[in-house]
Amino acid sequence: SKETETKDKVDADPQDKGSDTPKEKTVTKESEDKTGKNTGTKPKGTTHKNPVKYFEDLKCSIENQRLKRLTTELRELSQKNRTDKFAASASMITRGLLESCLRYQVEKKGKIGDYKKSLEYEKDGKIFVSQEGIKNLVTFVLKNVEDIFEMSNVKNARLALEQVSANHLSYLNSIVHDAWTDPTEGKIHNIAGDIRELLRAILSDSA
């Protein structure tokens, strides 16, 4: 009978009609179904593609202001799809975050003295010191990867840094010095794919 008709049906809010404003708190029972079944309710579109394309889920658990600020700004650029319009800025922050993360890891493992020693070289009987920078840092970490990362992270760290050394160093250096290479969203996407897991491990302080 009409009196026994189900009363738990969720009706759409009349005020929702014609509105483009996201309504996160006015979800129906169907969209809250956690059984894994397809309820027929499509999720709202997001500002970025899934799986992760850049660094949109990157978080910093380390109490280090440089790492926190660089992580936050790179994540914001990624989440709001700004890497195309602000490709140079995103590239510079990516370079800065990678270098800062590697230096943090070297210091954490007590290898900063060895790193600075590796910058010294002899010429004509005199000792000279190369400038610190991302190229020399990547080279040092690759040579000492087993001493700088936990065993469970060594393989991924080595693979990531080999990709950086072979494919990305020239571009990352061109952002701040060397011959200029026009920054693009595609280059950032490729770099992110190679170093995302490495940055996650370091920034979670589990590397």
Side-chain angles (χ1 to χ4, degrees), residues 98 102 105 137-138 141-165 194-202 206-207:
L98 174 60
L102 292 178
Q105 191 66 22
L137 186 54
V138 167
V141 175
L142 263 176
K143 287 181 178 179
N144 300 276
V145 66
E146 293 184 3
D147 296 324
I148 294 173
F149 290 93
E150 297 296 325
M151 191 55 62
S152 59
N153 290 311
V154 166
K155 182 178 179 180
N156 287 339
R158 179 183 286 117
L159 179 60
L161 293 174
E162 285 175 348
Q163 291 298 313
V164 170
S165 181
D194 287 332
I195 70 171
R196 188 185 299 112
E197 293 304 320
L198 173 63
L199 295 186
R200 280 176 178 163
I202 295 175
S206 63

PDB file of all heavy atoms in Angstrom, residues 98 102 105 137-138 141-165 194-202 206-207:
ATOM      1  N   LEU A  98      64.347  18.569  -4.779  1.00  0.00           N
ATOM      2  CA  LEU A  98      65.170  17.376  -4.957  1.00  0.00           C
ATOM      3  C   LEU A  98      66.535  17.563  -4.297  1.00  0.00           C
ATOM      4  O   LEU A  98      67.004  16.698  -3.541  1.00  0.00           O
ATOM      5  CB  LEU A  98      65.336  17.065  -6.442  1.00  0.00           C
ATOM      6  CG  LEU A  98      66.303  15.908  -6.774  1.00  0.00           C
ATOM      7  CD1 LEU A  98      65.832  14.605  -6.129  1.00  0.00           C
ATOM      8  CD2 LEU A  98      66.442  15.756  -8.285  1.00  0.00           C
ATOM      9  N   LEU A 102      67.918  15.528  -0.926  1.00  0.00           N
ATOM     10  CA  LEU A 102      69.140  14.720  -0.950  1.00  0.00           C
ATOM     11  C   LEU A 102      70.129  15.204   0.101  1.00  0.00           C
ATOM     12  O   LEU A 102      70.763  14.398   0.794  1.00  0.00           O
ATOM     13  CB  LEU A 102      69.778  14.757  -2.336  1.00  0.00           C
ATOM     14  CG  LEU A 102      68.997  14.064  -3.455  1.00  0.00           C
ATOM     15  CD1 LEU A 102      69.725  14.208  -4.788  1.00  0.00           C
ATOM     16  CD2 LEU A 102      68.774  12.585  -3.133  1.00  0.00           C
ATOM     17  N   GLN A 105      69.034  14.058   3.482  1.00  0.00           N
ATOM     18  CA  GLN A 105      69.297  12.629   3.689  1.00  0.00           C
ATOM     19  C   GLN A 105      70.779  12.378   3.961  1.00  0.00           C
ATOM     20  O   GLN A 105      71.135  11.549   4.805  1.00  0.00           O
ATOM     21  CB  GLN A 105      68.837  11.840   2.456  1.00  0.00           C
ATOM     22  CG  GLN A 105      68.813  10.340   2.641  1.00  0.00           C
ATOM     23  CD  GLN A 105      67.772   9.879   3.651  1.00  0.00           C
ATOM     24  OE1 GLN A 105      66.808  10.585   3.935  1.00  0.00           O
ATOM     25  NE2 GLN A 105      67.969   8.695   4.201  1.00  0.00           N
ATOM     26  N   LEU A 137      75.970  16.547  -5.988  1.00  0.00           N
ATOM     27  CA  LEU A 137      75.233  15.870  -4.923  1.00  0.00           C
ATOM     28  C   LEU A 137      74.640  14.556  -5.415  1.00  0.00           C
ATOM     29  O   LEU A 137      74.737  13.528  -4.738  1.00  0.00           O
ATOM     30  CB  LEU A 137      74.128  16.788  -4.394  1.00  0.00           C
ATOM     31  CG  LEU A 137      73.341  16.309  -3.177  1.00  0.00           C
ATOM     32  CD1 LEU A 137      74.269  15.957  -2.023  1.00  0.00           C
ATOM     33  CD2 LEU A 137      72.333  17.369  -2.754  1.00  0.00           C
ATOM     34  N   VAL A 138      74.035  14.574  -6.600  1.00  0.00           N
ATOM     35  CA  VAL A 138      73.473  13.347  -7.174  1.00  0.00           C
ATOM     36  C   VAL A 138      74.570  12.315  -7.395  1.00  0.00           C
ATOM     37  O   VAL A 138      74.403  11.125  -7.093  1.00  0.00           O
ATOM     38  CB  VAL A 138      72.730  13.655  -8.495  1.00  0.00           C
ATOM     39  CG1 VAL A 138      72.424  12.359  -9.252  1.00  0.00           C
ATOM     40  CG2 VAL A 138      71.440  14.418  -8.218  1.00  0.00           C
ATOM     41  N   VAL A 141      75.610  10.841  -3.968  1.00  0.00           N
ATOM     42  CA  VAL A 141      74.594   9.959  -3.395  1.00  0.00           C
ATOM     43  C   VAL A 141      74.526   8.639  -4.161  1.00  0.00           C
ATOM     44  O   VAL A 141      74.392   7.567  -3.554  1.00  0.00           O
ATOM     45  CB  VAL A 141      73.212  10.647  -3.365  1.00  0.00           C
ATOM     46  CG1 VAL A 141      72.136   9.679  -2.876  1.00  0.00           C
ATOM     47  CG2 VAL A 141      73.261  11.874  -2.462  1.00  0.00           C
ATOM     48  N   LEU A 142      74.644   8.695  -5.468  1.00  0.00           N
ATOM     49  CA  LEU A 142      74.625   7.461  -6.259  1.00  0.00           C
ATOM     50  C   LEU A 142      75.782   6.540  -5.895  1.00  0.00           C
ATOM     51  O   LEU A 142      75.622   5.323  -5.797  1.00  0.00           O
ATOM     52  CB  LEU A 142      74.686   7.793  -7.752  1.00  0.00           C
ATOM     53  CG  LEU A 142      73.361   7.826  -8.509  1.00  0.00           C
ATOM     54  CD1 LEU A 142      73.578   8.259  -9.956  1.00  0.00           C
ATOM     55  CD2 LEU A 142      72.680   6.457  -8.469  1.00  0.00           C
ATOM     56  N   LYS A 143      76.954   7.120  -5.689  1.00  0.00           N
ATOM     57  CA  LYS A 143      78.138   6.315  -5.348  1.00  0.00           C
ATOM     58  C   LYS A 143      78.032   5.721  -3.946  1.00  0.00           C
ATOM     59  O   LYS A 143      78.664   4.701  -3.648  1.00  0.00           O
ATOM     60  CB  LYS A 143      79.401   7.171  -5.449  1.00  0.00           C
ATOM     61  CG  LYS A 143      79.817   7.502  -6.873  1.00  0.00           C
ATOM     62  CD  LYS A 143      81.094   8.330  -6.885  1.00  0.00           C
ATOM     63  CE  LYS A 143      81.546   8.625  -8.313  1.00  0.00           C
ATOM     64  NZ  LYS A 143      82.781   9.456  -8.344  1.00  0.00           N
ATOM     65  N   ASN A 144      77.257   6.354  -3.081  1.00  0.00           N
ATOM     66  CA  ASN A 144      77.160   5.922  -1.683  1.00  0.00           C
ATOM     67  C   ASN A 144      75.737   5.573  -1.279  1.00  0.00           C
ATOM     68  O   ASN A 144      75.373   5.671  -0.105  1.00  0.00           O
ATOM     69  CB  ASN A 144      77.690   7.039  -0.776  1.00  0.00           C
ATOM     70  CG  ASN A 144      79.131   7.398  -1.059  1.00  0.00           C
ATOM     71  OD1 ASN A 144      80.055   6.757  -0.563  1.00  0.00           O
ATOM     72  ND2 ASN A 144      79.334   8.432  -1.873  1.00  0.00           N
ATOM     73  N   VAL A 145      74.934   5.164  -2.248  1.00  0.00           N
ATOM     74  CA  VAL A 145      73.499   4.986  -2.025  1.00  0.00           C
ATOM     75  C   VAL A 145      73.195   3.993  -0.899  1.00  0.00           C
ATOM     76  O   VAL A 145      72.248   4.174  -0.135  1.00  0.00           O
ATOM     77  CB  VAL A 145      72.795   4.558  -3.345  1.00  0.00           C
ATOM     78  CG1 VAL A 145      73.250   3.187  -3.796  1.00  0.00           C
ATOM     79  CG2 VAL A 145      71.289   4.640  -3.200  1.00  0.00           C
ATOM     80  N   GLU A 146      74.014   2.965  -0.748  1.00  0.00           N
ATOM     81  CA  GLU A 146      73.749   1.963   0.283  1.00  0.00           C
ATOM     82  C   GLU A 146      74.041   2.476   1.684  1.00  0.00           C
ATOM     83  O   GLU A 146      73.539   1.922   2.665  1.00  0.00           O
ATOM     84  CB  GLU A 146      74.554   0.689  -0.007  1.00  0.00           C
ATOM     85  CG  GLU A 146      74.102  -0.026  -1.268  1.00  0.00           C
ATOM     86  CD  GLU A 146      74.837  -1.339  -1.491  1.00  0.00           C
ATOM     87  OE1 GLU A 146      75.662  -1.713  -0.621  1.00  0.00           O
ATOM     88  OE2 GLU A 146      74.583  -1.989  -2.513  1.00  0.00           O
ATOM     89  N   ASP A 147      74.860   3.511   1.788  1.00  0.00           N
ATOM     90  CA  ASP A 147      75.161   4.102   3.082  1.00  0.00           C
ATOM     91  C   ASP A 147      74.212   5.244   3.435  1.00  0.00           C
ATOM     92  O   ASP A 147      74.130   5.655   4.597  1.00  0.00           O
ATOM     93  CB  ASP A 147      76.598   4.642   3.099  1.00  0.00           C
ATOM     94  CG  ASP A 147      77.632   3.543   2.938  1.00  0.00           C
ATOM     95  OD1 ASP A 147      77.410   2.441   3.469  1.00  0.00           O
ATOM     96  OD2 ASP A 147      78.656   3.777   2.261  1.00  0.00           O
ATOM     97  N   ILE A 148      73.503   5.754   2.437  1.00  0.00           N
ATOM     98  CA  ILE A 148      72.665   6.936   2.636  1.00  0.00           C
ATOM     99  C   ILE A 148      71.189   6.585   2.751  1.00  0.00           C
ATOM    100  O   ILE A 148      70.407   7.344   3.337  1.00  0.00           O
ATOM    101  CB  ILE A 148      72.912   7.940   1.481  1.00  0.00           C
ATOM    102  CG1 ILE A 148      74.357   8.447   1.574  1.00  0.00           C
ATOM    103  CG2 ILE A 148      71.940   9.102   1.515  1.00  0.00           C
ATOM    104  CD1 ILE A 148      74.793   9.305   0.415  1.00  0.00           C
ATOM    105  N   PHE A 149      70.800   5.424   2.244  1.00  0.00           N
ATOM    106  CA  PHE A 149      69.403   5.001   2.327  1.00  0.00           C
ATOM    107  C   PHE A 149      69.285   3.663   3.046  1.00  0.00           C
ATOM    108  O   PHE A 149      70.213   2.851   3.020  1.00  0.00           O
ATOM    109  CB  PHE A 149      68.793   4.876   0.923  1.00  0.00           C
ATOM    110  CG  PHE A 149      68.601   6.197   0.233  1.00  0.00           C
ATOM    111  CD1 PHE A 149      69.582   6.702  -0.599  1.00  0.00           C
ATOM    112  CD2 PHE A 149      67.445   6.939   0.425  1.00  0.00           C
ATOM    113  CE1 PHE A 149      69.425   7.928  -1.226  1.00  0.00           C
ATOM    114  CE2 PHE A 149      67.277   8.164  -0.202  1.00  0.00           C
ATOM    115  CZ  PHE A 149      68.265   8.655  -1.027  1.00  0.00           C
ATOM    116  N   GLU A 150      68.134   3.463   3.683  1.00  0.00           N
ATOM    117  CA  GLU A 150      67.847   2.170   4.282  1.00  0.00           C
ATOM    118  C   GLU A 150      67.797   1.118   3.180  1.00  0.00           C
ATOM    119  O   GLU A 150      67.448   1.407   2.038  1.00  0.00           O
ATOM    120  CB  GLU A 150      66.501   2.215   5.022  1.00  0.00           C
ATOM    121  CG  GLU A 150      66.461   3.196   6.191  1.00  0.00           C
ATOM    122  CD  GLU A 150      67.417   2.816   7.300  1.00  0.00           C
ATOM    123  OE1 GLU A 150      67.603   1.600   7.531  1.00  0.00           O
ATOM    124  OE2 GLU A 150      67.981   3.723   7.928  1.00  0.00           O
ATOM    125  N   MET A 151      68.136  -0.120   3.531  1.00  0.00           N
ATOM    126  CA  MET A 151      68.230  -1.176   2.528  1.00  0.00           C
ATOM    127  C   MET A 151      66.940  -1.323   1.719  1.00  0.00           C
ATOM    128  O   MET A 151      66.978  -1.577   0.514  1.00  0.00           O
ATOM    129  CB  MET A 151      68.580  -2.503   3.206  1.00  0.00           C
ATOM    130  CG  MET A 151      68.962  -3.609   2.219  1.00  0.00           C
ATOM    131  SD  MET A 151      70.317  -3.130   1.090  1.00  0.00           S
ATOM    132  CE  MET A 151      71.643  -2.849   2.265  1.00  0.00           C
ATOM    133  N   SER A 152      65.795  -1.141   2.379  1.00  0.00           N
ATOM    134  CA  SER A 152      64.515  -1.299   1.683  1.00  0.00           C
ATOM    135  C   SER A 152      64.287  -0.215   0.632  1.00  0.00           C
ATOM    136  O   SER A 152      63.432  -0.373  -0.243  1.00  0.00           O
ATOM    137  CB  SER A 152      63.357  -1.277   2.690  1.00  0.00           C
ATOM    138  OG  SER A 152      63.355  -0.050   3.416  1.00  0.00           O
ATOM    139  N   ASN A 153      65.037   0.884   0.714  1.00  0.00           N
ATOM    140  CA  ASN A 153      64.864   1.997  -0.223  1.00  0.00           C
ATOM    141  C   ASN A 153      66.000   2.128  -1.228  1.00  0.00           C
ATOM    142  O   ASN A 153      65.921   2.973  -2.126  1.00  0.00           O
ATOM    143  CB  ASN A 153      64.742   3.316   0.551  1.00  0.00           C
ATOM    144  CG  ASN A 153      63.439   3.417   1.316  1.00  0.00           C
ATOM    145  OD1 ASN A 153      62.369   3.177   0.787  1.00  0.00           O
ATOM    146  ND2 ASN A 153      63.535   3.754   2.594  1.00  0.00           N
ATOM    147  N   VAL A 154      67.042   1.317  -1.070  1.00  0.00           N
ATOM    148  CA  VAL A 154      68.238   1.451  -1.912  1.00  0.00           C
ATOM    149  C   VAL A 154      67.920   1.269  -3.396  1.00  0.00           C
ATOM    150  O   VAL A 154      68.340   2.068  -4.235  1.00  0.00           O
ATOM    151  CB  VAL A 154      69.329   0.455  -1.477  1.00  0.00           C
ATOM    152  CG1 VAL A 154      70.415   0.340  -2.546  1.00  0.00           C
ATOM    153  CG2 VAL A 154      69.956   0.898  -0.169  1.00  0.00           C
ATOM    154  N   LYS A 155      67.173   0.244  -3.719  1.00  0.00           N
ATOM    155  CA  LYS A 155      66.882  -0.053  -5.127  1.00  0.00           C
ATOM    156  C   LYS A 155      66.140   1.094  -5.800  1.00  0.00           C
ATOM    157  O   LYS A 155      66.518   1.547  -6.891  1.00  0.00           O
ATOM    158  CB  LYS A 155      66.070  -1.345  -5.242  1.00  0.00           C
ATOM    159  CG  LYS A 155      65.767  -1.748  -6.678  1.00  0.00           C
ATOM    160  CD  LYS A 155      64.995  -3.059  -6.727  1.00  0.00           C
ATOM    161  CE  LYS A 155      64.669  -3.454  -8.160  1.00  0.00           C
ATOM    162  NZ  LYS A 155      63.901  -4.745  -8.203  1.00  0.00           N
ATOM    163  N   ASN A 156      65.070   1.576  -5.157  1.00  0.00           N
ATOM    164  CA  ASN A 156      64.282   2.662  -5.740  1.00  0.00           C
ATOM    165  C   ASN A 156      65.072   3.965  -5.806  1.00  0.00           C
ATOM    166  O   ASN A 156      64.957   4.722  -6.777  1.00  0.00           O
ATOM    167  CB  ASN A 156      62.999   2.872  -4.930  1.00  0.00           C
ATOM    168  CG  ASN A 156      61.978   1.772  -5.159  1.00  0.00           C
ATOM    169  OD1 ASN A 156      62.023   1.064  -6.163  1.00  0.00           O
ATOM    170  ND2 ASN A 156      61.066   1.615  -4.215  1.00  0.00           N
ATOM    171  N   ALA A 157      65.875   4.224  -4.775  1.00  0.00           N
ATOM    172  CA  ALA A 157      66.689   5.434  -4.760  1.00  0.00           C
ATOM    173  C   ALA A 157      67.712   5.410  -5.886  1.00  0.00           C
ATOM    174  O   ALA A 157      67.909   6.399  -6.599  1.00  0.00           O
ATOM    175  CB  ALA A 157      67.386   5.585  -3.414  1.00  0.00           C
ATOM    176  N   ARG A 158      68.356   4.279  -6.060  1.00  0.00           N
ATOM    177  CA  ARG A 158      69.364   4.164  -7.128  1.00  0.00           C
ATOM    178  C   ARG A 158      68.718   4.348  -8.502  1.00  0.00           C
ATOM    179  O   ARG A 158      69.243   5.081  -9.347  1.00  0.00           O
ATOM    180  CB  ARG A 158      70.060   2.805  -7.061  1.00  0.00           C
ATOM    181  CG  ARG A 158      71.109   2.612  -8.165  1.00  0.00           C
ATOM    182  CD  ARG A 158      71.733   1.240  -8.140  1.00  0.00           C
ATOM    183  NE  ARG A 158      72.670   1.083  -7.037  1.00  0.00           N
ATOM    184  CZ  ARG A 158      72.522   0.228  -6.039  1.00  0.00           C
ATOM    185  NH1 ARG A 158      71.435  -0.549  -5.987  1.00  0.00           N
ATOM    186  NH2 ARG A 158      73.430   0.133  -5.096  1.00  0.00           N
ATOM    187  N   LEU A 159      67.590   3.699  -8.717  1.00  0.00           N
ATOM    188  CA  LEU A 159      66.901   3.810 -10.000  1.00  0.00           C
ATOM    189  C   LEU A 159      66.489   5.253 -10.278  1.00  0.00           C
ATOM    190  O   LEU A 159      66.689   5.768 -11.389  1.00  0.00           O
ATOM    191  CB  LEU A 159      65.674   2.902 -10.025  1.00  0.00           C
ATOM    192  CG  LEU A 159      64.836   2.925 -11.306  1.00  0.00           C
ATOM    193  CD1 LEU A 159      65.681   2.494 -12.501  1.00  0.00           C
ATOM    194  CD2 LEU A 159      63.614   2.026 -11.168  1.00  0.00           C
ATOM    195  N   ALA A 160      65.924   5.921  -9.271  1.00  0.00           N
ATOM    196  CA  ALA A 160      65.470   7.302  -9.443  1.00  0.00           C
ATOM    197  C   ALA A 160      66.647   8.216  -9.777  1.00  0.00           C
ATOM    198  O   ALA A 160      66.567   9.050 -10.697  1.00  0.00           O
ATOM    199  CB  ALA A 160      64.776   7.784  -8.178  1.00  0.00           C
ATOM    200  N   LEU A 161      67.741   8.077  -9.058  1.00  0.00           N
ATOM    201  CA  LEU A 161      68.891   8.959  -9.267  1.00  0.00           C
ATOM    202  C   LEU A 161      69.615   8.653 -10.573  1.00  0.00           C
ATOM    203  O   LEU A 161      70.202   9.553 -11.185  1.00  0.00           O
ATOM    204  CB  LEU A 161      69.840   8.862  -8.077  1.00  0.00           C
ATOM    205  CG  LEU A 161      69.255   9.416  -6.772  1.00  0.00           C
ATOM    206  CD1 LEU A 161      70.195   9.153  -5.602  1.00  0.00           C
ATOM    207  CD2 LEU A 161      68.973  10.910  -6.899  1.00  0.00           C
ATOM    208  N   GLU A 162      69.581   7.412 -10.997  1.00  0.00           N
ATOM    209  CA  GLU A 162      70.146   7.081 -12.310  1.00  0.00           C
ATOM    210  C   GLU A 162      69.350   7.764 -13.415  1.00  0.00           C
ATOM    211  O   GLU A 162      69.928   8.256 -14.395  1.00  0.00           O
ATOM    212  CB  GLU A 162      70.152   5.565 -12.512  1.00  0.00           C
ATOM    213  CG  GLU A 162      71.239   4.847 -11.732  1.00  0.00           C
ATOM    214  CD  GLU A 162      71.161   3.334 -11.837  1.00  0.00           C
ATOM    215  OE1 GLU A 162      70.119   2.820 -12.327  1.00  0.00           O
ATOM    216  OE2 GLU A 162      72.114   2.659 -11.418  1.00  0.00           O
ATOM    217  N   GLN A 163      68.032   7.807 -13.253  1.00  0.00           N
ATOM    218  CA  GLN A 163      67.193   8.497 -14.232  1.00  0.00           C
ATOM    219  C   GLN A 163      67.461  10.002 -14.219  1.00  0.00           C
ATOM    220  O   GLN A 163      67.530  10.645 -15.266  1.00  0.00           O
ATOM    221  CB  GLN A 163      65.714   8.226 -13.932  1.00  0.00           C
ATOM    222  CG  GLN A 163      65.280   6.797 -14.182  1.00  0.00           C
ATOM    223  CD  GLN A 163      65.447   6.391 -15.636  1.00  0.00           C
ATOM    224  OE1 GLN A 163      65.067   7.111 -16.539  1.00  0.00           O
ATOM    225  NE2 GLN A 163      66.038   5.234 -15.855  1.00  0.00           N
ATOM    226  N   VAL A 164      67.600  10.563 -13.023  1.00  0.00           N
ATOM    227  CA  VAL A 164      67.903  11.989 -12.906  1.00  0.00           C
ATOM    228  C   VAL A 164      69.226  12.303 -13.583  1.00  0.00           C
ATOM    229  O   VAL A 164      69.344  13.247 -14.365  1.00  0.00           O
ATOM    230  CB  VAL A 164      67.957  12.419 -11.423  1.00  0.00           C
ATOM    231  CG1 VAL A 164      68.521  13.828 -11.292  1.00  0.00           C
ATOM    232  CG2 VAL A 164      66.560  12.358 -10.810  1.00  0.00           C
ATOM    233  N   SER A 165      70.244  11.497 -13.283  1.00  0.00           N
ATOM    234  CA  SER A 165      71.579  11.730 -13.826  1.00  0.00           C
ATOM    235  C   SER A 165      71.600  11.617 -15.348  1.00  0.00           C
ATOM    236  O   SER A 165      72.219  12.432 -16.043  1.00  0.00           O
ATOM    237  CB  SER A 165      72.570  10.731 -13.216  1.00  0.00           C
ATOM    238  OG  SER A 165      73.873  10.959 -13.706  1.00  0.00           O
ATOM    239  N   ASP A 194      59.742   9.906 -12.291  1.00  0.00           N
ATOM    240  CA  ASP A 194      60.997   9.256 -11.905  1.00  0.00           C
ATOM    241  C   ASP A 194      61.397   9.496 -10.456  1.00  0.00           C
ATOM    242  O   ASP A 194      62.069   8.654  -9.853  1.00  0.00           O
ATOM    243  CB  ASP A 194      62.138   9.723 -12.816  1.00  0.00           C
ATOM    244  CG  ASP A 194      62.039   9.128 -14.214  1.00  0.00           C
ATOM    245  OD1 ASP A 194      61.477   8.033 -14.350  1.00  0.00           O
ATOM    246  OD2 ASP A 194      62.537   9.760 -15.171  1.00  0.00           O
ATOM    247  N   ILE A 195      61.020  10.636  -9.866  1.00  0.00           N
ATOM    248  CA  ILE A 195      61.514  10.953  -8.524  1.00  0.00           C
ATOM    249  C   ILE A 195      60.435  11.016  -7.453  1.00  0.00           C
ATOM    250  O   ILE A 195      60.741  11.198  -6.281  1.00  0.00           O
ATOM    251  CB  ILE A 195      62.295  12.287  -8.515  1.00  0.00           C
ATOM    252  CG1 ILE A 195      61.352  13.482  -8.727  1.00  0.00           C
ATOM    253  CG2 ILE A 195      63.404  12.268  -9.548  1.00  0.00           C
ATOM    254  CD1 ILE A 195      62.036  14.826  -8.522  1.00  0.00           C
ATOM    255  N   ARG A 196      59.173  10.849  -7.831  1.00  0.00           N
ATOM    256  CA  ARG A 196      58.075  11.008  -6.871  1.00  0.00           C
ATOM    257  C   ARG A 196      58.231  10.090  -5.655  1.00  0.00           C
ATOM    258  O   ARG A 196      58.111  10.524  -4.504  1.00  0.00           O
ATOM    259  CB  ARG A 196      56.738  10.748  -7.557  1.00  0.00           C
ATOM    260  CG  ARG A 196      55.519  11.079  -6.707  1.00  0.00           C
ATOM    261  CD  ARG A 196      54.230  10.691  -7.403  1.00  0.00           C
ATOM    262  NE  ARG A 196      54.051  11.394  -8.660  1.00  0.00           N
ATOM    263  CZ  ARG A 196      54.082  10.813  -9.864  1.00  0.00           C
ATOM    264  NH1 ARG A 196      54.280   9.504  -9.961  1.00  0.00           N
ATOM    265  NH2 ARG A 196      53.910  11.510 -10.953  1.00  0.00           N
ATOM    266  N   GLU A 197      58.514   8.804  -5.893  1.00  0.00           N
ATOM    267  CA  GLU A 197      58.630   7.851  -4.793  1.00  0.00           C
ATOM    268  C   GLU A 197      59.845   8.143  -3.919  1.00  0.00           C
ATOM    269  O   GLU A 197      59.804   7.965  -2.697  1.00  0.00           O
ATOM    270  CB  GLU A 197      58.696   6.418  -5.332  1.00  0.00           C
ATOM    271  CG  GLU A 197      57.412   5.949  -6.004  1.00  0.00           C
ATOM    272  CD  GLU A 197      56.209   6.060  -5.081  1.00  0.00           C
ATOM    273  OE1 GLU A 197      56.353   5.755  -3.873  1.00  0.00           O
ATOM    274  OE2 GLU A 197      55.128   6.463  -5.544  1.00  0.00           O
ATOM    275  N   LEU A 198      60.929   8.600  -4.531  1.00  0.00           N
ATOM    276  CA  LEU A 198      62.117   8.964  -3.771  1.00  0.00           C
ATOM    277  C   LEU A 198      61.816  10.121  -2.836  1.00  0.00           C
ATOM    278  O   LEU A 198      62.166  10.087  -1.643  1.00  0.00           O
ATOM    279  CB  LEU A 198      63.253   9.338  -4.722  1.00  0.00           C
ATOM    280  CG  LEU A 198      64.527   9.912  -4.082  1.00  0.00           C
ATOM    281  CD1 LEU A 198      65.175   8.870  -3.171  1.00  0.00           C
ATOM    282  CD2 LEU A 198      65.498  10.379  -5.150  1.00  0.00           C
ATOM    283  N   LEU A 199      61.140  11.155  -3.348  1.00  0.00           N
ATOM    284  CA  LEU A 199      60.794  12.306  -2.518  1.00  0.00           C
ATOM    285  C   LEU A 199      59.829  11.892  -1.402  1.00  0.00           C
ATOM    286  O   LEU A 199      59.963  12.366  -0.263  1.00  0.00           O
ATOM    287  CB  LEU A 199      60.173  13.415  -3.373  1.00  0.00           C
ATOM    288  CG  LEU A 199      61.071  14.058  -4.428  1.00  0.00           C
ATOM    289  CD1 LEU A 199      60.342  15.232  -5.092  1.00  0.00           C
ATOM    290  CD2 LEU A 199      62.386  14.534  -3.820  1.00  0.00           C
ATOM    291  N   ARG A 200      58.871  11.049  -1.714  1.00  0.00           N
ATOM    292  CA  ARG A 200      57.920  10.597  -0.691  1.00  0.00           C
ATOM    293  C   ARG A 200      58.645   9.937   0.460  1.00  0.00           C
ATOM    294  O   ARG A 200      58.335  10.168   1.638  1.00  0.00           O
ATOM    295  CB  ARG A 200      56.923   9.617  -1.313  1.00  0.00           C
ATOM    296  CG  ARG A 200      55.787  10.247  -2.093  1.00  0.00           C
ATOM    297  CD  ARG A 200      54.943   9.167  -2.726  1.00  0.00           C
ATOM    298  NE  ARG A 200      53.803   9.709  -3.458  1.00  0.00           N
ATOM    299  CZ  ARG A 200      53.105   9.034  -4.353  1.00  0.00           C
ATOM    300  NH1 ARG A 200      53.444   7.788  -4.633  1.00  0.00           N
ATOM    301  NH2 ARG A 200      52.077   9.587  -4.983  1.00  0.00           N
ATOM    302  N   ALA A 201      59.611   9.063   0.134  1.00  0.00           N
ATOM    303  CA  ALA A 201      60.337   8.329   1.177  1.00  0.00           C
ATOM    304  C   ALA A 201      61.143   9.284   2.056  1.00  0.00           C
ATOM    305  O   ALA A 201      61.131   9.176   3.288  1.00  0.00           O
ATOM    306  CB  ALA A 201      61.250   7.292   0.528  1.00  0.00           C
ATOM    307  N   ILE A 202      61.845  10.226   1.430  1.00  0.00           N
ATOM    308  CA  ILE A 202      62.670  11.167   2.198  1.00  0.00           C
ATOM    309  C   ILE A 202      61.800  12.081   3.042  1.00  0.00           C
ATOM    310  O   ILE A 202      62.062  12.299   4.231  1.00  0.00           O
ATOM    311  CB  ILE A 202      63.569  11.988   1.263  1.00  0.00           C
ATOM    312  CG1 ILE A 202      64.584  11.075   0.561  1.00  0.00           C
ATOM    313  CG2 ILE A 202      64.305  13.082   2.043  1.00  0.00           C
ATOM    314  CD1 ILE A 202      65.435  11.771  -0.482  1.00  0.00           C
ATOM    315  N   SER A 206      61.369   8.227   6.169  1.00  0.00           N
ATOM    316  CA  SER A 206      61.477   6.775   6.245  1.00  0.00           C
ATOM    317  C   SER A 206      62.517   6.219   5.289  1.00  0.00           C
ATOM    318  O   SER A 206      62.643   5.018   5.124  1.00  0.00           O
ATOM    319  CB  SER A 206      60.117   6.128   5.931  1.00  0.00           C
ATOM    320  OG  SER A 206      59.720   6.431   4.593  1.00  0.00           O
ATOM    321  N   ALA A 207      63.277   7.121   4.646  1.00  0.00           N
ATOM    322  CA  ALA A 207      64.264   6.685   3.655  1.00  0.00           C
ATOM    323  C   ALA A 207      65.549   6.204   4.308  1.00  0.00           C
ATOM    324  O   ALA A 207      66.367   5.584   3.680  1.00  0.00           O
ATOM    325  CB  ALA A 207      64.574   7.820   2.671  1.00  0.00           C
TER     326      ALA A 207
END
